[in-house]
């Protein structure tokens, strides 16, 4: 079910539009001193949930952008299952977020930057598209990858340089 950037131009520009929104949210996280990751959940061409990383501010280890967006959307539609929705996230989901995405029955995940240390969308683990689970998610990777990766790299470079 893994899809690369070989889709039609219309879908690509829709994906880029929503990923731009996710990047805006990632910048909000960065402004708050959080790792700059943003997520947008879309259903029928409408944003039903959004989030940015906030585990530090919320003192919540589950405060990842994806989880925040899923919670927001579930409250908005009054249901914890979100089938037929697409999640746009600037960084490949971790195993925790991938598990939440599976449980929410998200149809598709679109992410920008790969996470070579803990990515669960194929980089390290393949949780989102695992044949062993009861739900599989379509994956599109690499949308605005350079912008997403650059934001994260600059954040961590600055953090290493300006240690508190």
């Amino acid at each position: 079910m893994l899809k690369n950037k070989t889709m039609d131009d219309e879908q690509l520009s829709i994906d880029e539009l929503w990923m731009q929104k996710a990047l805006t949210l990632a910048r909000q996280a960065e402004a708050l001193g959080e790792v700059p990751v943003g997520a947008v959940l879309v259903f029928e061409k409408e944003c039903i949930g959004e989030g940015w990383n906030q585990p530090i501010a919320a003192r919540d280890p589950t405060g990842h952008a994806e989880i925040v967006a899923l919670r927001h959307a579930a409250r908005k539609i009054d249901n914890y299952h979100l089938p037929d929705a697409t999640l746009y996230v600037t960084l490949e989901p971790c195993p925790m977020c991938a598990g939440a995405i599976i449980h929410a029955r998200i149809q598709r995940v679109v992410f920008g930057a790969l996470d070579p240390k803990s990515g669960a969308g194929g980089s390290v683990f393949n949780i989102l598209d695992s044949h062993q689970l009861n739900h599989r998610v379509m994956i599109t990777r690499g949308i605005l990858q350079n912008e997403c990766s650059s934001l994260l790299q600059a954040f961590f470079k600055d953090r290493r340089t300006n240690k508190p």
Side-chain angles (χ1 to χ4, degrees), residues 98-99 102-103 126-137:
I102 295 288
H103 286 293
N126 194 15
I127 295 171
L128 293 175
D129 191 28
S130 174
H131 295 281
Q132 298 169 310
L133 298 173
N134 63 339
H135 178 73
R136 295 174 65 199
V137 180

Side-chain angles (χ1 to χ4, degrees), residues 1 20 27-28 33 39 45-46 48 56 71 77-78 102-103 106 122 129 147:
M1 285 179 125
Q20 284 291 349
R27 290 182 190 98
Q28 281 186 240
K45 301 180 182 180
E46 179 187 345
I48 61 169
I56 298 167
R71 287 177 179 154
I77 68 163
D78 198 28
I102 295 288
H103 286 293
I106 299 299
D129 191 28
E147 293 91 329

Side-chain angles (χ1 to χ4, degrees), residues 3-4 7 15 108-111 138-143:
K3 271 178 106 174
N4 287 312
M7 63 190 76
D15 288 348
R108 180 171 170 246
V109 169
V110 178
F111 63 85
M138 291 181 0
I139 303 167
T140 302
R141 60 171 72 184
I143 301 297

Side-chain angles (χ1 to χ4, degrees), residues 110-127:
V110 178
F111 63 85
L114 297 171
D115 185 348
K117 293 187 177 185
S118 65
S123 290
V124 179
F125 306 103
N126 194 15
I127 295 171

Side-chain angles (χ1 to χ4, degrees), residues 7 25 50 107 128 157 159:
M7 63 190 76
L25 296 170
E50 60 182 41
Q107 180 181 37
L128 293 175
K157 181 180 180 184
R159 200 172 243 191

